Amino acid sequence: MSTTSPVPAAAEPIASPAKKQPVNIVCIGMAGSGKTTFMQRLNAHLHAAKEPPYIVNLDPAVKNVPFDRNIDIRDSVNYKEVMTQYNLGPNGGIMTSLNLFATKIDQVIGILEKRADSLTRVLVDTPGQIECFVWSASGAIITDALASTFPTVIAYVIDTPRTAQPATFMANMLYACSILYKTKLPMILVFNKTDAHDAEFAKEWMTDFEAFQTALRASEENGDDEAIGGSGYMGSLLNSMSLMLDEFYNHLDLVGVSAMTGAGIDEFLKAVDGKVEEYEKDYKPEMEKARAKREEDKVKNKQKELDRLMKDLAVGKKEEQADVISDLDTDDEDNQGMVERDEDEVVNEQDEETLQKRYEKALGDSGSRSTKEEEESLQRYLQKSQG
């Protein structure tokens, strides 16, 4: 007796996981914070992990870059020539160079989109003169263009040894706060140079208000050169700002790294992955909402300008008609436009009756007595004209 083995059901196709988009990491930091060295270390780490990044250099004034660049602003903008032609100083030259480069940002985005399938991370190096990038129109254009295409994270690099004092720490936090709300993008605080000074104090100050107050008083008692003091107006101001920034700290990730030794780079990359999820959940919807609002306002303004143009055209047409009397035409019988008639035009019946009455009135009012022949001749003329 033969047995028939059941036919196996067709297996359902397994959906392949969607390819992750490359992540833009925009490195921002004060001059001397070790930003370029951090970029070099991050580049070497990713190459060692077989995930080479795509690097974009936006610093037109840098002389030597210790890593290979895929896109370099210096290839399209000559910083020294910009300073000479426009009679600018160093900062003005950087801002003008960024403005010129911002006009080509669509080409940069096009290149990144073509290579998106083979990229995992895009590293963007910015000028050390932080205000030239953060507070310029070109900086906003570049960051908005990057963030509207791929997930984008801001890495704010901080010089840890220089931030060990409460006053300088608070100054850096205020600057980070301004960058966060200016770019409206997820941010990671990168405390660099941890090989020279540990960054644990910063984590404690950001999570414990009492610890910051204690450090502020200790700074005054120790007579530190950069101490502002735990009492008086400035001490009260620092305490108030630390309370105010408590909510701000909740939106930040703090990572201590050493660009010299490579310590903390893995933690930084994990923080970037976490910020990408935050970008997709919180920041991207807000950006799309803001973009839709701008498009809506643009359409409204365009329609408003069109209505104004049509109104101006209508007014101009009306004035043109009023200047030419012969062109006036109206359906109102009591207000007919003026019409010029020819002298040889045949008069209508109403005009003939009026003419006859005028003749008769003229004859009745005449001072001289007409003869019978004249009266008969006039009657014949009138009859002839009626016929």
Side-chain angles (χ1 to χ4, degrees):
M1 181 176 180
S2 62
T3 58
T4 305
S5 60
V7 178
E12 296 182 358
I14 300 175
S16 58
K19 175 68 170 62
K20 290 185 178 181
Q21 289 183 308
V23 182
N24 296 319
I25 304 175
V26 182
C27 295
I28 299 176
M30 299 283 189
S33 62
K35 175 174 56 61
T36 302
T37 310
F38 170 72
M39 284 275 296
Q40 181 185 15
R41 172 61 63 179
L42 188 59
N43 177 46
H45 185 88
L46 291 173
H47 270 89
K50 306 300 181 182
E51 296 181 0
Y54 197 87
I55 300 180
V56 179
N57 175 44
L58 296 181
D59 190 352
V62 64
K63 187 174 181 180
N64 297 315
V65 181
F67 46 81
D68 294 332
R69 289 84 54 207
N70 299 96
I71 297 177
D72 198 329
I73 187 176
R74 299 176 298 172
D75 295 336
S76 57
V77 180
N78 190 324
Y79 168 68
K80 292 184 178 179
E81 191 66 22
V82 168
M83 291 177 60
T84 302
Q85 289 188 7
Y86 294 95
N87 194 24
L88 299 171
N91 287 348
I94 293 175
M95 293 184 65
T96 305
S97 299
L98 286 172
N99 291 339
L100 294 173
F101 184 79
T103 61
K104 302 180 180 181
I105 189 61
D106 57 329
Q107 301 178 23
V108 176
I109 298 300
I111 294 174
L112 294 178
E113 288 178 336
K114 290 180 180 178
R115 300 179 177 273
D117 293 337
S118 60
L119 299 178
T120 56
R121 291 179 177 86
V122 178
L123 306 182
V124 182
D125 192 14
T126 60
Q129 289 75 6
I130 188 171
E131 67 280 357
C132 295
F133 180 81
V134 174
W135 298 106
S136 65
S138 56
I141 291 172
I142 293 172
T143 54
D144 289 347
L146 292 173
S148 62
T149 310
F150 304 113
T152 303
V153 178
I154 301 296
Y156 181 48
V157 183
I158 300 173
D159 187 347
T160 305
R162 291 288 300 168
T163 314
Q165 295 299 326
T168 53
F169 170 81
M170 187 56 61
N172 264 294
M173 293 301 102
L174 290 174
Y175 214 108
C177 180
S178 66
I179 294 174
L180 176 66
Y181 290 105
K182 180 68 171 60
T183 60
K184 297 181 177 62
L185 293 171
M187 176 185 289
I188 301 174
L189 298 181
V190 182
F191 278 79
N192 194 15
K193 305 180 183 179
T194 54
D195 55 303
H197 197 293
D198 193 8
E200 287 299 322
F201 73 93
K203 296 179 182 180
E204 185 180 10
W205 290 353
M206 290 177 63
T207 55
D208 189 352
F209 170 73
E210 296 293 337
F212 180 78
Q213 283 187 320
T214 302
L216 191 62
R217 288 192 295 267
S219 177
E220 181 187 20
E221 294 172 357
N222 295 335
D224 294 332
D225 295 337
E226 298 180 3
I228 290 180
S231 60
Y233 171 75
M234 293 305 297
S236 176
L237 178 62
L238 286 176
N239 287 326
S240 300
M241 286 191 294
S242 62
L243 283 173
M244 178 192 68
L245 293 178
D246 184 63
E247 180 65 23
F248 165 71
Y249 293 151
N250 295 330
H251 298 278
L252 298 177
D253 286 352
L254 187 151
V255 179
V257 302
S258 172
M260 183 66 65
T261 64
I265 297 297
D266 288 328
E267 288 77 7
F268 170 76
L269 293 176
K270 290 180 182 178
V272 169
D273 294 337
K275 287 299 179 180
V276 169
E277 297 179 0
E278 183 179 334
Y279 167 88
E280 296 290 346
K281 179 181 178 181
D282 299 329
Y283 288 84
K284 188 176 180 179
E286 290 296 328
M287 291 182 60
E288 292 177 348
K289 183 178 178 180
R291 189 183 304 112
K293 180 68 167 56
R294 287 196 299 267
E295 292 296 330
E296 182 181 353
D297 293 341
K298 187 185 297 184
V299 172
K300 288 182 179 179
N301 293 333
K302 185 177 180 180
Q303 185 62 37
K304 187 183 297 183
E305 293 296 330
L306 181 60
D307 294 341
R308 184 181 302 173
L309 176 62
M310 297 302 295
K311 184 178 180 181
D312 293 342
L313 291 176
V315 171
K317 185 176 180 181
K318 184 176 180 181
E319 293 176 352
E320 182 180 356
Q321 290 177 339
D323 291 340
V324 184
I325 297 178
S326 62
D327 291 340
L328 289 175
D329 188 13
T330 177
D331 296 331
D332 188 2
E333 295 180 357
D334 297 332
N335 188 23
Q336 290 288 342
M338 296 181 61
V339 179
E340 184 179 1
R341 299 178 182 271
D342 295 333
E343 295 180 357
D344 298 334
E345 184 179 355
V346 180
V347 295
N348 55 30
E349 294 179 357
Q350 183 180 359
D351 293 334
E352 291 178 353
E353 293 176 0
T354 304
L355 182 60
Q356 182 177 353
K357 290 179 181 179
R358 289 175 63 188
Y359 277 127
E360 291 176 352
K361 186 175 185 300
L363 289 175
D365 294 342
S366 178
S368 61
R369 181 174 295 177
S370 301
T371 61
K372 185 177 181 180
E373 291 79 5
E374 292 174 345
E375 292 178 0
E376 292 176 353
S377 176
L378 181 58
Q379 291 295 335
R380 286 195 301 272
Y381 173 77
L382 292 173
Q383 292 175 358
K384 183 178 179 180
S385 63
Q386 293 176 358

